[in-house]
Amino acid sequence: MLLVSQLINGLQLGSIYALVALGYTMVYGIIKLLNFAHGDIIMVGGYIALFSLTAGHFHPAVAALLTVGGCTLLAVILEKLTYAPLRFAPRLSLLITAIGISILLQNVAQFFFGAAPRSLPYRELFPVGSVTIGEFSIAYTSLVTIILSVVSMVALTILVQRTKLGKAMRAVSEDTEAAQLMGVNVNNVITFTFAVGAALAGIGALLYGARFPLVTPTIGAMLGLKAFIAAVLGGIGSIPGAMVGGYAVGLLEVLTVFAGLSRWTDGLVFLVLIIVLLVRPTGLMGRKFMEKV
């Protein structure tokens, strides 16, 4: 019973990592950018949810929409102001810019909201209680988190594989110049990709707040890093890989704590990543590709 409960907790935590990892995967798949500011967008989403519920006294559904919409808008603005001008710059410039934006967002949040943790009233966002299946009991928050992650993966897969916009995204990912020659608006495709990734980050902010109901200016740093590990572990650029990597990291963390090795949780996550990359550099579900020179 206790082990099953821990596995469910691991899937819940892994679902959050998976949602955030999907954002990393989508952006990297299109423009080969490791957007290290992605985790801090989640932090901003946490504050939007907090003030929507406490200061604004909005209905939880409205607060959730504001959180997702706010994260999406922020990502689009950042993409237009900072990443778009560097579209043809070396990738190192984009990477440094992403790290700079991450630090900037953390410091801006600390300036306006202070460094002290603030309690998020997550019980207003999610119903309290559990579902009983035989001898097992699953909390509503865990069930909603797992279902949302699976639905998000399926929706993204359909978007990328079955829609015209998805075809444009894949074309830009394969060859940007050829896509432009075929009439694809590359700028719009990239902006849309950032928007979708940020919307997932907004959902992740709500789900993360349900599990850890505290908001600080730095909550997105470690969350974003572990989601990045999940994306690389599963095979960055692969949507199913992001999900598998997220679940793997979540289960590994929870089972490590369950085994009484809580001090080694973060270290083991990085160790597993190193081992996987040594054995399979493309990740568990990544694919090899040839780079033109």
Side-chain angles (χ1 to χ4, degrees), residues 15-27 38 41-42 45 67-69 71-73 75 148-157 159-160 169 192-208 223 239 242-243:
S15 297
I16 298 170
Y17 290 149
L19 280 171
V20 184
L22 285 171
Y24 276 111
T25 283
M26 290 190 65
V27 172
H38 192 61
I41 291 176
I42 295 172
T67 300
V68 175
C71 290
T72 303
L73 180 61
L148 273 177
S149 68
V150 174
V151 169
S152 299
M153 184 196 72
V154 173
L156 275 180
T157 302
L159 171 68
V160 172
M169 293 168 68
F192 177 77
T193 304
F194 271 86
V196 172
L200 293 173
I203 297 173
L206 297 170
L207 299 176
Y208 189 76
L223 172 60
I239 292 175
M243 296 297 295

mmCIF file of all heavy atoms in Angstrom, residues 15-27 38 41-42 45 67-69 71-73 75 148-157 159-160 169 192-208 223 239 242-243:
data_model
loop_
_atom_site.group_PDB
_atom_site.id
_atom_site.type_symbol
_atom_site.label_atom_id
_atom_site.label_comp_id
_atom_site.label_asym_id
_atom_site.label_seq_id
_atom_site.Cartn_x
_atom_site.Cartn_y
_atom_site.Cartn_z
ATOM 1 N N SER A 15 4.623 14.077 -13.675
ATOM 2 C CA SER A 15 3.725 14.732 -14.626
ATOM 3 C C SER A 15 4.017 16.222 -14.721
ATOM 4 O O SER A 15 3.944 16.820 -15.799
ATOM 5 C CB SER A 15 2.266 14.506 -14.207
ATOM 6 O OG SER A 15 1.930 13.135 -14.246
ATOM 7 N N ILE A 16 4.346 16.838 -13.571
ATOM 8 C CA ILE A 16 4.698 18.260 -13.572
ATOM 9 C C ILE A 16 5.991 18.477 -14.346
ATOM 10 O O ILE A 16 6.096 19.373 -15.194
ATOM 11 C CB ILE A 16 4.824 18.777 -12.134
ATOM 12 C CG1 ILE A 16 3.486 18.646 -11.394
ATOM 13 C CG2 ILE A 16 5.290 20.230 -12.127
ATOM 14 C CD1 ILE A 16 3.577 18.905 -9.915
ATOM 15 N N TYR A 17 6.998 17.640 -14.067
ATOM 16 C CA TYR A 17 8.255 17.736 -14.814
ATOM 17 C C TYR A 17 8.011 17.541 -16.307
ATOM 18 O O TYR A 17 8.626 18.208 -17.140
ATOM 19 C CB TYR A 17 9.251 16.695 -14.318
ATOM 20 C CG TYR A 17 9.798 16.950 -12.935
ATOM 21 C CD1 TYR A 17 10.154 15.897 -12.094
ATOM 22 C CD2 TYR A 17 9.968 18.238 -12.451
ATOM 23 C CE1 TYR A 17 10.661 16.117 -10.822
ATOM 24 C CE2 TYR A 17 10.474 18.471 -11.182
ATOM 25 C CZ TYR A 17 10.813 17.403 -10.374
ATOM 26 O OH TYR A 17 11.317 17.636 -9.110
ATOM 27 N N ALA A 18 7.126 16.608 -16.635
ATOM 28 C CA ALA A 18 6.853 16.310 -18.037
ATOM 29 C C ALA A 18 6.224 17.505 -18.751
ATOM 30 O O ALA A 18 6.586 17.826 -19.886
ATOM 31 C CB ALA A 18 5.939 15.091 -18.139
ATOM 32 N N LEU A 19 5.273 18.174 -18.091
ATOM 33 C CA LEU A 19 4.638 19.342 -18.701
ATOM 34 C C LEU A 19 5.661 20.438 -18.990
ATOM 35 O O LEU A 19 5.637 21.065 -20.058
ATOM 36 C CB LEU A 19 3.540 19.882 -17.776
ATOM 37 C CG LEU A 19 2.201 19.148 -17.794
ATOM 38 C CD1 LEU A 19 1.305 19.663 -16.669
ATOM 39 C CD2 LEU A 19 1.512 19.314 -19.139
ATOM 40 N N VAL A 20 6.541 20.669 -18.026
ATOM 41 C CA VAL A 20 7.569 21.697 -18.226
ATOM 42 C C VAL A 20 8.571 21.241 -19.288
ATOM 43 O O VAL A 20 9.019 22.033 -20.125
ATOM 44 C CB VAL A 20 8.283 22.004 -16.896
ATOM 45 C CG1 VAL A 20 9.284 23.148 -17.082
ATOM 46 C CG2 VAL A 20 7.275 22.363 -15.814
ATOM 47 N N ALA A 21 8.916 19.958 -19.270
ATOM 48 C CA ALA A 21 9.865 19.422 -20.253
ATOM 49 C C ALA A 21 9.321 19.527 -21.672
ATOM 50 O O ALA A 21 10.089 19.702 -22.625
ATOM 51 C CB ALA A 21 10.192 17.966 -19.921
ATOM 52 N N LEU A 22 8.000 19.424 -21.822
ATOM 53 C CA LEU A 22 7.403 19.571 -23.150
ATOM 54 C C LEU A 22 7.695 20.952 -23.718
ATOM 55 O O LEU A 22 7.914 21.108 -24.925
ATOM 56 C CB LEU A 22 5.892 19.335 -23.078
ATOM 57 C CG LEU A 22 5.439 17.885 -22.918
ATOM 58 C CD1 LEU A 22 3.942 17.824 -22.646
ATOM 59 C CD2 LEU A 22 5.788 17.060 -24.149
ATOM 60 N N GLY A 23 7.701 21.971 -22.859
ATOM 61 C CA GLY A 23 8.038 23.318 -23.322
ATOM 62 C C GLY A 23 9.474 23.407 -23.798
ATOM 63 O O GLY A 23 9.770 24.001 -24.851
ATOM 64 N N TYR A 24 10.400 22.818 -23.036
ATOM 65 C CA TYR A 24 11.806 22.772 -23.467
ATOM 66 C C TYR A 24 11.926 22.068 -24.815
ATOM 67 O O TYR A 24 12.632 22.533 -25.722
ATOM 68 C CB TYR A 24 12.640 22.010 -22.439
ATOM 69 C CG TYR A 24 13.123 22.822 -21.276
ATOM 70 C CD1 TYR A 24 12.615 22.612 -19.999
ATOM 71 C CD2 TYR A 24 14.110 23.789 -21.428
ATOM 72 C CE1 TYR A 24 13.065 23.344 -18.908
ATOM 73 C CE2 TYR A 24 14.571 24.529 -20.350
ATOM 74 C CZ TYR A 24 14.047 24.298 -19.096
ATOM 75 O OH TYR A 24 14.490 25.029 -18.031
ATOM 76 N N THR A 25 11.257 20.937 -24.922
ATOM 77 C CA THR A 25 11.370 20.106 -26.119
ATOM 78 C C THR A 25 10.849 20.820 -27.349
ATOM 79 O O THR A 25 11.462 20.773 -28.421
ATOM 80 C CB THR A 25 10.597 18.795 -25.899
ATOM 81 O OG1 THR A 25 11.381 17.933 -25.066
ATOM 82 C CG2 THR A 25 10.330 18.086 -27.204
ATOM 83 N N MET A 26 9.710 21.503 -27.216
ATOM 84 C CA MET A 26 9.127 22.173 -28.384
ATOM 85 C C MET A 26 10.042 23.289 -28.893
ATOM 86 O O MET A 26 10.285 23.404 -30.095
ATOM 87 C CB MET A 26 7.755 22.728 -28.020
ATOM 88 C CG MET A 26 6.704 21.660 -27.800
ATOM 89 S SD MET A 26 5.064 22.366 -27.665
ATOM 90 C CE MET A 26 4.824 23.033 -29.299
ATOM 91 N N VAL A 27 10.528 24.126 -27.972
ATOM 92 C CA VAL A 27 11.381 25.244 -28.385
ATOM 93 C C VAL A 27 12.692 24.734 -28.971
ATOM 94 O O VAL A 27 13.148 25.214 -30.010
ATOM 95 C CB VAL A 27 11.642 26.192 -27.198
ATOM 96 C CG1 VAL A 27 12.682 27.246 -27.561
ATOM 97 C CG2 VAL A 27 10.349 26.858 -26.753
ATOM 98 N N HIS A 38 12.629 29.229 -19.014
ATOM 99 C CA HIS A 38 11.328 28.557 -19.016
ATOM 100 C C HIS A 38 10.824 28.293 -17.592
ATOM 101 O O HIS A 38 9.649 28.494 -17.291
ATOM 102 C CB HIS A 38 11.430 27.249 -19.795
ATOM 103 C CG HIS A 38 10.108 26.620 -20.109
ATOM 104 N ND1 HIS A 38 9.150 27.244 -20.880
ATOM 105 C CD2 HIS A 38 9.575 25.433 -19.742
ATOM 106 C CE1 HIS A 38 8.096 26.456 -20.983
ATOM 107 N NE2 HIS A 38 8.329 25.362 -20.306
ATOM 108 N N ILE A 41 9.329 31.359 -15.957
ATOM 109 C CA ILE A 41 7.973 31.684 -16.400
ATOM 110 C C ILE A 41 6.962 30.988 -15.489
ATOM 111 O O ILE A 41 5.898 31.532 -15.175
ATOM 112 C CB ILE A 41 7.785 31.272 -17.871
ATOM 113 C CG1 ILE A 41 8.639 32.174 -18.764
ATOM 114 C CG2 ILE A 41 6.320 31.349 -18.282
ATOM 115 C CD1 ILE A 41 8.616 31.815 -20.224
ATOM 116 N N ILE A 42 7.308 29.790 -15.032
ATOM 117 C CA ILE A 42 6.458 29.084 -14.075
ATOM 118 C C ILE A 42 6.372 29.858 -12.763
ATOM 119 O O ILE A 42 5.310 29.957 -12.142
ATOM 120 C CB ILE A 42 6.997 27.665 -13.836
ATOM 121 C CG1 ILE A 42 6.902 26.855 -15.118
ATOM 122 C CG2 ILE A 42 6.253 26.964 -12.702
ATOM 123 C CD1 ILE A 42 7.566 25.515 -15.049
ATOM 124 N N GLY A 45 4.019 32.551 -13.219
ATOM 125 C CA GLY A 45 2.676 31.984 -13.174
ATOM 126 C C GLY A 45 2.209 31.733 -11.753
ATOM 127 O O GLY A 45 1.028 31.935 -11.430
ATOM 128 N N THR A 67 -3.511 32.800 -15.143
ATOM 129 C CA THR A 67 -2.163 32.245 -14.977
ATOM 130 C C THR A 67 -1.616 31.736 -16.297
ATOM 131 O O THR A 67 -0.486 32.070 -16.699
ATOM 132 C CB THR A 67 -2.188 31.106 -13.947
ATOM 133 O OG1 THR A 67 -2.652 31.602 -12.693
ATOM 134 C CG2 THR A 67 -0.801 30.505 -13.768
ATOM 135 N N VAL A 68 -2.405 30.936 -16.994
ATOM 136 C CA VAL A 68 -1.965 30.386 -18.277
ATOM 137 C C VAL A 68 -1.784 31.509 -19.299
ATOM 138 O O VAL A 68 -0.785 31.555 -20.031
ATOM 139 C CB VAL A 68 -2.974 29.340 -18.789
ATOM 140 C CG1 VAL A 68 -2.576 28.850 -20.183
ATOM 141 C CG2 VAL A 68 -3.055 28.155 -17.820
ATOM 142 N N GLY A 69 -2.745 32.442 -19.335
ATOM 143 C CA GLY A 69 -2.652 33.556 -20.276
ATOM 144 C C GLY A 69 -1.479 34.468 -19.982
ATOM 145 O O GLY A 69 -0.793 34.934 -20.903
ATOM 146 N N CYS A 71 1.387 33.672 -18.455
ATOM 147 C CA CYS A 71 2.628 32.986 -18.847
ATOM 148 C C CYS A 71 2.822 33.016 -20.359
ATOM 149 O O CYS A 71 3.936 33.245 -20.858
ATOM 150 C CB CYS A 71 2.596 31.542 -18.350
ATOM 151 S SG CYS A 71 2.742 31.356 -16.560
ATOM 152 N N THR A 72 1.737 32.794 -21.088
ATOM 153 C CA THR A 72 1.811 32.792 -22.550
ATOM 154 C C THR A 72 2.206 34.164 -23.073
ATOM 155 O O THR A 72 3.090 34.300 -23.939
ATOM 156 C CB THR A 72 0.454 32.386 -23.149
ATOM 157 O OG1 THR A 72 0.082 31.097 -22.643
ATOM 158 C CG2 THR A 72 0.527 32.325 -24.665
ATOM 159 N N LEU A 73 1.573 35.200 -22.537
ATOM 160 C CA LEU A 73 1.878 36.566 -22.977
ATOM 161 C C LEU A 73 3.322 36.939 -22.664
ATOM 162 O O LEU A 73 4.017 37.540 -23.494
ATOM 163 C CB LEU A 73 0.918 37.546 -22.297
ATOM 164 C CG LEU A 73 1.103 39.035 -22.640
ATOM 165 C CD1 LEU A 73 0.896 39.267 -24.134
ATOM 166 C CD2 LEU A 73 0.153 39.899 -21.827
ATOM 167 N N ALA A 75 5.905 34.935 -22.354
ATOM 168 C CA ALA A 75 6.820 34.217 -23.244
ATOM 169 C C ALA A 75 6.848 34.841 -24.630
ATOM 170 O O ALA A 75 7.922 34.959 -25.250
ATOM 171 C CB ALA A 75 6.400 32.755 -23.328
ATOM 172 N N LEU A 148 -3.939 15.476 -16.817
ATOM 173 C CA LEU A 148 -3.597 16.654 -17.611
ATOM 174 C C LEU A 148 -2.297 16.461 -18.386
ATOM 175 O O LEU A 148 -2.174 16.912 -19.529
ATOM 176 C CB LEU A 148 -3.476 17.879 -16.711
ATOM 177 C CG LEU A 148 -4.760 18.667 -16.432
ATOM 178 C CD1 LEU A 148 -4.482 19.814 -15.475
ATOM 179 C CD2 LEU A 148 -5.384 19.178 -17.717
ATOM 180 N N SER A 149 -1.330 15.805 -17.775
ATOM 181 C CA SER A 149 -0.064 15.578 -18.474
ATOM 182 C C SER A 149 -0.259 14.665 -19.682
ATOM 183 O O SER A 149 0.288 14.924 -20.762
ATOM 184 C CB SER A 149 0.974 14.992 -17.520
ATOM 185 O OG SER A 149 0.633 13.674 -17.135
ATOM 186 N N VAL A 150 -1.043 13.621 -19.517
ATOM 187 C CA VAL A 150 -1.288 12.695 -20.630
ATOM 188 C C VAL A 150 -2.083 13.387 -21.735
ATOM 189 O O VAL A 150 -1.766 13.260 -22.931
ATOM 190 C CB VAL A 150 -2.031 11.446 -20.125
ATOM 191 C CG1 VAL A 150 -2.414 10.544 -21.298
ATOM 192 C CG2 VAL A 150 -1.172 10.670 -19.131
ATOM 193 N N VAL A 151 -3.111 14.140 -21.351
ATOM 194 C CA VAL A 151 -3.921 14.858 -22.334
ATOM 195 C C VAL A 151 -3.065 15.872 -23.095
ATOM 196 O O VAL A 151 -3.198 16.023 -24.318
ATOM 197 C CB VAL A 151 -5.109 15.565 -21.641
ATOM 198 C CG1 VAL A 151 -5.803 16.527 -22.602
ATOM 199 C CG2 VAL A 151 -6.111 14.535 -21.123
ATOM 200 N N SER A 152 -2.171 16.543 -22.387
ATOM 201 C CA SER A 152 -1.291 17.528 -23.027
ATOM 202 C C SER A 152 -0.375 16.864 -24.043
ATOM 203 O O SER A 152 -0.168 17.399 -25.147
ATOM 204 C CB SER A 152 -0.451 18.262 -21.972
ATOM 205 O OG SER A 152 -1.270 18.969 -21.072
ATOM 206 N N MET A 153 0.173 15.708 -23.694
ATOM 207 C CA MET A 153 1.054 15.010 -24.625
ATOM 208 C C MET A 153 0.285 14.584 -25.871
ATOM 209 O O MET A 153 0.765 14.754 -27.002
ATOM 210 C CB MET A 153 1.677 13.786 -23.967
ATOM 211 C CG MET A 153 2.680 13.075 -24.866
ATOM 212 S SD MET A 153 3.094 11.404 -24.353
ATOM 213 C CE MET A 153 1.579 10.541 -24.754
ATOM 214 N N VAL A 154 -0.909 14.028 -25.680
ATOM 215 C CA VAL A 154 -1.714 13.590 -26.819
ATOM 216 C C VAL A 154 -2.091 14.781 -27.699
ATOM 217 O O VAL A 154 -2.001 14.719 -28.937
ATOM 218 C CB VAL A 154 -2.978 12.854 -26.324
ATOM 219 C CG1 VAL A 154 -3.908 12.536 -27.498
ATOM 220 C CG2 VAL A 154 -2.597 11.565 -25.603
ATOM 221 N N ALA A 155 -2.507 15.884 -27.064
ATOM 222 C CA ALA A 155 -2.898 17.071 -27.828
ATOM 223 C C ALA A 155 -1.720 17.624 -28.619
ATOM 224 O O ALA A 155 -1.873 18.008 -29.788
ATOM 225 C CB ALA A 155 -3.452 18.132 -26.878
ATOM 226 N N LEU A 156 -0.541 17.665 -28.007
ATOM 227 C CA LEU A 156 0.640 18.170 -28.707
ATOM 228 C C LEU A 156 1.026 17.259 -29.873
ATOM 229 O O LEU A 156 1.420 17.733 -30.945
ATOM 230 C CB LEU A 156 1.811 18.284 -27.737
ATOM 231 C CG LEU A 156 1.907 19.571 -26.922
ATOM 232 C CD1 LEU A 156 3.125 19.512 -26.012
ATOM 233 C CD2 LEU A 156 1.984 20.779 -27.822
ATOM 234 N N THR A 157 0.929 15.964 -29.642
ATOM 235 C CA THR A 157 1.254 15.019 -30.714
ATOM 236 C C THR A 157 0.321 15.204 -31.899
ATOM 237 O O THR A 157 0.756 15.220 -33.064
ATOM 238 C CB THR A 157 1.160 13.577 -30.185
ATOM 239 O OG1 THR A 157 2.054 13.417 -29.076
ATOM 240 C CG2 THR A 157 1.535 12.582 -31.273
ATOM 241 N N LEU A 159 -1.339 17.947 -32.606
ATOM 242 C CA LEU A 159 -1.025 19.258 -33.184
ATOM 243 C C LEU A 159 0.161 19.179 -34.132
ATOM 244 O O LEU A 159 0.114 19.708 -35.252
ATOM 245 C CB LEU A 159 -0.732 20.253 -32.060
ATOM 246 C CG LEU A 159 -0.173 21.620 -32.486
ATOM 247 C CD1 LEU A 159 -1.226 22.403 -33.251
ATOM 248 C CD2 LEU A 159 0.315 22.412 -31.273
ATOM 249 N N VAL A 160 1.216 18.519 -33.698
ATOM 250 C CA VAL A 160 2.446 18.471 -34.493
ATOM 251 C C VAL A 160 2.307 17.545 -35.698
ATOM 252 O O VAL A 160 2.822 17.842 -36.788
ATOM 253 C CB VAL A 160 3.630 18.033 -33.602
ATOM 254 C CG1 VAL A 160 4.879 17.796 -34.440
ATOM 255 C CG2 VAL A 160 3.898 19.094 -32.536
ATOM 256 N N MET A 169 5.605 23.604 -38.328
ATOM 257 C CA MET A 169 6.570 23.503 -37.244
ATOM 258 C C MET A 169 7.645 22.482 -37.576
ATOM 259 O O MET A 169 8.842 22.715 -37.363
ATOM 260 C CB MET A 169 5.858 23.127 -35.938
ATOM 261 C CG MET A 169 4.932 24.205 -35.406
ATOM 262 S SD MET A 169 3.862 23.627 -34.077
ATOM 263 C CE MET A 169 5.072 23.359 -32.785
ATOM 264 N N PHE A 192 4.435 31.016 -32.050
ATOM 265 C CA PHE A 192 3.397 30.070 -31.623
ATOM 266 C C PHE A 192 3.994 28.961 -30.767
ATOM 267 O O PHE A 192 3.388 28.534 -29.770
ATOM 268 C CB PHE A 192 2.705 29.467 -32.849
ATOM 269 C CG PHE A 192 1.672 28.428 -32.514
ATOM 270 C CD1 PHE A 192 0.419 28.798 -32.047
ATOM 271 C CD2 PHE A 192 1.956 27.072 -32.649
ATOM 272 C CE1 PHE A 192 -0.531 27.841 -31.721
ATOM 273 C CE2 PHE A 192 1.011 26.115 -32.336
ATOM 274 C CZ PHE A 192 -0.242 26.497 -31.869
ATOM 275 N N THR A 193 5.166 28.494 -31.123
ATOM 276 C CA THR A 193 5.823 27.443 -30.343
ATOM 277 C C THR A 193 6.125 27.921 -28.928
ATOM 278 O O THR A 193 5.893 27.205 -27.955
ATOM 279 C CB THR A 193 7.123 27.002 -31.039
ATOM 280 O OG1 THR A 193 6.826 26.577 -32.373
ATOM 281 C CG2 THR A 193 7.780 25.863 -30.280
ATOM 282 N N PHE A 194 6.653 29.137 -28.813
ATOM 283 C CA PHE A 194 6.903 29.713 -27.486
ATOM 284 C C PHE A 194 5.602 29.841 -26.699
ATOM 285 O O PHE A 194 5.568 29.588 -25.491
ATOM 286 C CB PHE A 194 7.572 31.087 -27.613
ATOM 287 C CG PHE A 194 9.066 31.038 -27.660
ATOM 288 C CD1 PHE A 194 9.739 30.851 -28.853
ATOM 289 C CD2 PHE A 194 9.811 31.181 -26.494
ATOM 290 C CE1 PHE A 194 11.126 30.808 -28.898
ATOM 291 C CE2 PHE A 194 11.196 31.134 -26.528
ATOM 292 C CZ PHE A 194 11.856 30.948 -27.730
ATOM 293 N N ALA A 195 4.535 30.246 -27.371
ATOM 294 C CA ALA A 195 3.254 30.435 -26.697
ATOM 295 C C ALA A 195 2.715 29.118 -26.158
ATOM 296 O O ALA A 195 2.232 29.042 -25.012
ATOM 297 C CB ALA A 195 2.249 31.070 -27.665
ATOM 298 N N VAL A 196 2.803 28.062 -26.958
ATOM 299 C CA VAL A 196 2.310 26.753 -26.507
ATOM 300 C C VAL A 196 3.143 26.248 -25.332
ATOM 301 O O VAL A 196 2.607 25.745 -24.326
ATOM 302 C CB VAL A 196 2.346 25.738 -27.669
ATOM 303 C CG1 VAL A 196 2.027 24.335 -27.161
ATOM 304 C CG2 VAL A 196 1.348 26.134 -28.743
ATOM 305 N N GLY A 197 4.466 26.376 -25.442
ATOM 306 C CA GLY A 197 5.325 25.950 -24.341
ATOM 307 C C GLY A 197 5.031 26.706 -23.062
ATOM 308 O O GLY A 197 5.011 26.133 -21.965
ATOM 309 N N ALA A 198 4.775 28.022 -23.176
ATOM 310 C CA ALA A 198 4.478 28.829 -21.995
ATOM 311 C C ALA A 198 3.112 28.499 -21.416
ATOM 312 O O ALA A 198 2.916 28.558 -20.196
ATOM 313 C CB ALA A 198 4.550 30.309 -22.348
ATOM 314 N N ALA A 199 2.151 28.167 -22.272
ATOM 315 C CA ALA A 199 0.838 27.755 -21.770
ATOM 316 C C ALA A 199 0.973 26.487 -20.927
ATOM 317 O O ALA A 199 0.346 26.356 -19.856
ATOM 318 C CB ALA A 199 -0.118 27.526 -22.938
ATOM 319 N N LEU A 200 1.796 25.563 -21.379
ATOM 320 C CA LEU A 200 2.062 24.350 -20.591
ATOM 321 C C LEU A 200 2.758 24.711 -19.281
ATOM 322 O O LEU A 200 2.505 24.099 -18.241
ATOM 323 C CB LEU A 200 2.926 23.382 -21.400
ATOM 324 C CG LEU A 200 2.267 22.762 -22.630
ATOM 325 C CD1 LEU A 200 3.284 21.955 -23.429
ATOM 326 C CD2 LEU A 200 1.100 21.871 -22.221
ATOM 327 N N ALA A 201 3.645 25.725 -19.330
ATOM 328 C CA ALA A 201 4.311 26.176 -18.105
ATOM 329 C C ALA A 201 3.299 26.756 -17.129
ATOM 330 O O ALA A 201 3.404 26.566 -15.910
ATOM 331 C CB ALA A 201 5.376 27.218 -18.445
ATOM 332 N N GLY A 202 2.296 27.474 -17.651
ATOM 333 C CA GLY A 202 1.250 28.010 -16.791
ATOM 334 C C GLY A 202 0.453 26.917 -16.111
ATOM 335 O O GLY A 202 0.144 26.993 -14.908
ATOM 336 N N ILE A 203 0.122 25.876 -16.874
ATOM 337 C CA ILE A 203 -0.567 24.723 -16.279
ATOM 338 C C ILE A 203 0.333 24.066 -15.239
ATOM 339 O O ILE A 203 -0.114 23.686 -14.149
ATOM 340 C CB ILE A 203 -0.960 23.713 -17.372
ATOM 341 C CG1 ILE A 203 -1.946 24.352 -18.353
ATOM 342 C CG2 ILE A 203 -1.584 22.460 -16.760
ATOM 343 C CD1 ILE A 203 -2.250 23.486 -19.563
ATOM 344 N N GLY A 204 1.623 23.945 -15.583
ATOM 345 C CA GLY A 204 2.574 23.368 -14.637
ATOM 346 C C GLY A 204 2.684 24.173 -13.363
ATOM 347 O O GLY A 204 2.844 23.621 -12.269
ATOM 348 N N ALA A 205 2.579 25.510 -13.457
ATOM 349 C CA ALA A 205 2.641 26.366 -12.273
ATOM 350 C C ALA A 205 1.482 26.062 -11.335
ATOM 351 O O ALA A 205 1.653 25.995 -10.106
ATOM 352 C CB ALA A 205 2.621 27.838 -12.687
ATOM 353 N N LEU A 206 0.300 25.870 -11.887
ATOM 354 C CA LEU A 206 -0.874 25.558 -11.068
ATOM 355 C C LEU A 206 -0.729 24.194 -10.399
ATOM 356 O O LEU A 206 -1.019 24.029 -9.207
ATOM 357 C CB LEU A 206 -2.132 25.591 -11.933
ATOM 358 C CG LEU A 206 -2.492 26.945 -12.556
ATOM 359 C CD1 LEU A 206 -3.603 26.775 -13.577
ATOM 360 C CD2 LEU A 206 -2.897 27.933 -11.473
ATOM 361 N N LEU A 207 -0.264 23.215 -11.166
ATOM 362 C CA LEU A 207 -0.121 21.858 -10.625
ATOM 363 C C LEU A 207 1.008 21.787 -9.603
ATOM 364 O O LEU A 207 0.913 21.074 -8.597
ATOM 365 C CB LEU A 207 0.118 20.876 -11.766
ATOM 366 C CG LEU A 207 -1.009 20.784 -12.810
ATOM 367 C CD1 LEU A 207 -0.608 19.851 -13.939
ATOM 368 C CD2 LEU A 207 -2.306 20.312 -12.161
ATOM 369 N N TYR A 208 2.085 22.518 -9.870
ATOM 370 C CA TYR A 208 3.202 22.553 -8.916
ATOM 371 C C TYR A 208 2.767 23.227 -7.616
ATOM 372 O O TYR A 208 3.155 22.814 -6.529
ATOM 373 C CB TYR A 208 4.380 23.297 -9.536
ATOM 374 C CG TYR A 208 5.658 23.204 -8.733
ATOM 375 C CD1 TYR A 208 6.423 22.044 -8.741
ATOM 376 C CD2 TYR A 208 6.118 24.283 -7.980
ATOM 377 C CE1 TYR A 208 7.600 21.950 -8.016
ATOM 378 C CE2 TYR A 208 7.290 24.206 -7.258
ATOM 379 C CZ TYR A 208 8.031 23.031 -7.280
ATOM 380 O OH TYR A 208 9.197 22.945 -6.549
ATOM 381 N N LEU A 223 13.104 23.624 -10.482
ATOM 382 C CA LEU A 223 12.052 22.956 -11.256
ATOM 383 C C LEU A 223 12.403 22.956 -12.737
ATOM 384 O O LEU A 223 12.287 21.928 -13.425
ATOM 385 C CB LEU A 223 10.712 23.653 -11.017
ATOM 386 C CG LEU A 223 9.541 23.200 -11.893
ATOM 387 C CD1 LEU A 223 9.268 21.715 -11.697
ATOM 388 C CD2 LEU A 223 8.294 24.022 -11.587
ATOM 389 N N ILE A 239 8.447 14.523 -28.091
ATOM 390 C CA ILE A 239 7.328 14.761 -27.175
ATOM 391 C C ILE A 239 7.100 13.568 -26.255
ATOM 392 O O ILE A 239 7.021 13.730 -25.029
ATOM 393 C CB ILE A 239 6.050 15.116 -27.971
ATOM 394 C CG1 ILE A 239 6.234 16.480 -28.646
ATOM 395 C CG2 ILE A 239 4.824 15.136 -27.065
ATOM 396 C CD1 ILE A 239 5.083 16.886 -29.545
ATOM 397 N N ALA A 242 9.863 13.493 -23.649
ATOM 398 C CA ALA A 242 9.714 14.428 -22.535
ATOM 399 C C ALA A 242 8.820 13.839 -21.456
ATOM 400 O O ALA A 242 9.083 14.001 -20.254
ATOM 401 C CB ALA A 242 9.142 15.753 -23.042
ATOM 402 N N MET A 243 7.769 13.148 -21.874
ATOM 403 C CA MET A 243 6.867 12.530 -20.902
ATOM 404 C C MET A 243 7.569 11.408 -20.152
ATOM 405 O O MET A 243 7.509 11.330 -18.919
ATOM 406 C CB MET A 243 5.633 11.984 -21.619
ATOM 407 C CG MET A 243 4.778 13.030 -22.282
ATOM 408 S SD MET A 243 4.050 14.207 -21.122
ATOM 409 C CE MET A 243 2.973 13.132 -20.187
#
